[in-house]
Amino acid sequence: MKKMFGRLAGTLLALALTSGFAAAQSKITVAVGGGACLCYLPTVLAKQLGEFDKAGLNVELVDLKGGSDALKAVLGGSADVVSGYFDHCVNLAAKKQELVSFVVYDRYPGLVLVVSPSHTAEIKSIKDLAGKKVGVSAPGSSTDFFLKFLLKKNGLDPTSAAVIGVGLGATAVAAMEQGQIDAAVMLDPSVTVLQGSHKDLTILADTRTQKDTLALFGGEYPGGALYSTAAWVGSHEKDVQALTTAIVNTLTWIHSHSPEEIMAKMPEEMVGKNKELYLAALKNTIPMFSETGKMDPKGADAVLAVFSEGSPEVAKANIDVSKTWTNKFVDQVKKTTGMNAK
């Protein structure tokens, strides 16, 4: 009888410990604005490396077509956090919606304006895009904002080109190769994949490097980040800290491992069949990733300046851009965190 009660007590204790561990893990849903895009690699890699689990989080990544769709998921309540471009935080501030970025993983946006291979003869410059069909990940996404900025910068009406949502991965490459669109704002690995088949691909604007980003924007321009509503960040500080720690650890891991080692950790379906092209794209992208996770205040100011130029609504809103981001959680991550990550 004593043995039976002993076994029962042991079983109950094990169940209690198991349920306690489950309760300790917060369930967080992160909406990703196009997981196949290398600009979002740190978020996907953090999941692959188990960094979210180590931080005490049960994170579900929901892969969506573009950043605007990921934003809608959070605003609609079906996701907690966006893994998307910081510029949405600035744009939404003009609409009196408070969003806060708490860890930045892209120092540069990595956006590339590319001409469709079948339309290189008639499109030689950005000015030639007036009246043309230009692909973006999704209308209202950062790719769309970038296009409108370039059109305005080149003396055109920001709405002079017809915007077509084509996603960021294979669908965007197919739309370009089949001539369904005249040009597109793309990101790697799609740009490198397209270049692999079309060596004479015409690129009208490129922000994959520091040099090109500085030339276009006049300063660093933050791209991918984790952000959520100010209300959620304020009421979930423990979870926000855990997410930040996981991303900072992942950035440290990225910059201490080879492109081949990084590729080996990524999901097979994201790498695709042509590993050589994916690896080439990854090598192009790695310098884009932040080493610290911190927001550069000048970079945030640059985003506001760009949007103020292209959007009268943003220009008139008197936005305090410092309220759209915080380095508080990155600053709390120990300097040695992630150095021993395997």
Side-chain angles (χ1 to χ4, degrees), residues 310-324:
S311 168
E313 186 181 12
V314 173
K316 293 185 293 186
N318 294 319
I319 296 169
D320 180 354
V321 76
S322 68
K323 291 183 178 179
T324 63

Side-chain angles (χ1 to χ4, degrees), residues 219-237:
E220 286 196 1
Y221 194 96
L226 292 190
Y227 68 85
S228 189
T229 62
W232 193 90
V233 171
S235 61
H236 293 77
E237 291 205 354

Side-chain angles (χ1 to χ4, degrees), residues 2 4 11 58 66 101 153-154 202 213 215 222 277 285 290 311 318:
K2 285 182 179 177
M4 186 176 77
T11 303
N58 175 14
S101 161
K153 189 177 175 68
N154 285 270
T202 300
T213 301
L277 280 178
T285 306
S290 171
S311 168
N318 294 319

